[in-house]
Amino acid sequence: MKDGDHRISNVSDLQIFARVARVGNMSAAGRLMGLMPAVVSKRISLLEEQIGARLFQRTTRQLTLTDVGEGLFKRAVDILALIDEAEDFV
């Protein structure tokens, strides 16, 4: 991947991101998805690295979407719904 070429290469990372964004907590998202919190955190970090932007503002007490995170979340919801629709069609 060359500089400036920011691509999401894993749909499951997008699913994890969307779940974390919905619940606002990596541990809770992990429990809902059957994943360890460390795995969720690592996958979010890898996604941020791939796209070259922070998706969440993290503090010890709060997790909130950045502007980039909000934009990606809106699109991720649509993308994941289209994937579900395609799977249902097949």
Side-chain angles (χ1 to χ4, degrees):
M1 191 179 320
K2 57 188 184 228
D3 286 344
D5 190 14
H6 306 293
R7 296 180 186 257
I8 298 168
S9 62
N10 191 328
V11 173
S12 65
D13 287 347
L14 203 56
Q15 291 169 324
I16 291 168
F17 162 71
R19 183 62 60 99
V20 172
R22 279 189 187 100
V23 300
N25 182 292
M26 288 194 195
S27 294
R31 281 191 299 276
L32 290 169
M33 298 183 83
L35 300 170
M36 299 294 295
V39 171
V40 173
S41 179
K42 181 67 174 172
R43 299 285 290 273
I44 293 295
S45 292
L46 289 172
L47 181 59
E48 289 175 327
E49 189 177 306
Q50 281 181 331
I51 65 171
R54 299 288 284 164
L55 298 171
F56 295 99
Q57 288 285 53
R58 297 163 176 86
T59 66
T60 54
R61 296 179 181 253
Q62 194 172 10
L63 186 71
T64 56
L65 286 167
T66 62
D67 289 342
V68 171
E70 286 203 30
L72 181 59
F73 177 66
K74 289 175 186 173
R75 288 158 180 85
V77 168
D78 292 341
I79 291 164
L80 294 170
L82 286 170
I83 290 170
D84 287 344
E85 182 181 315
E87 289 174 343
D88 289 345
F89 173 77
V90 174

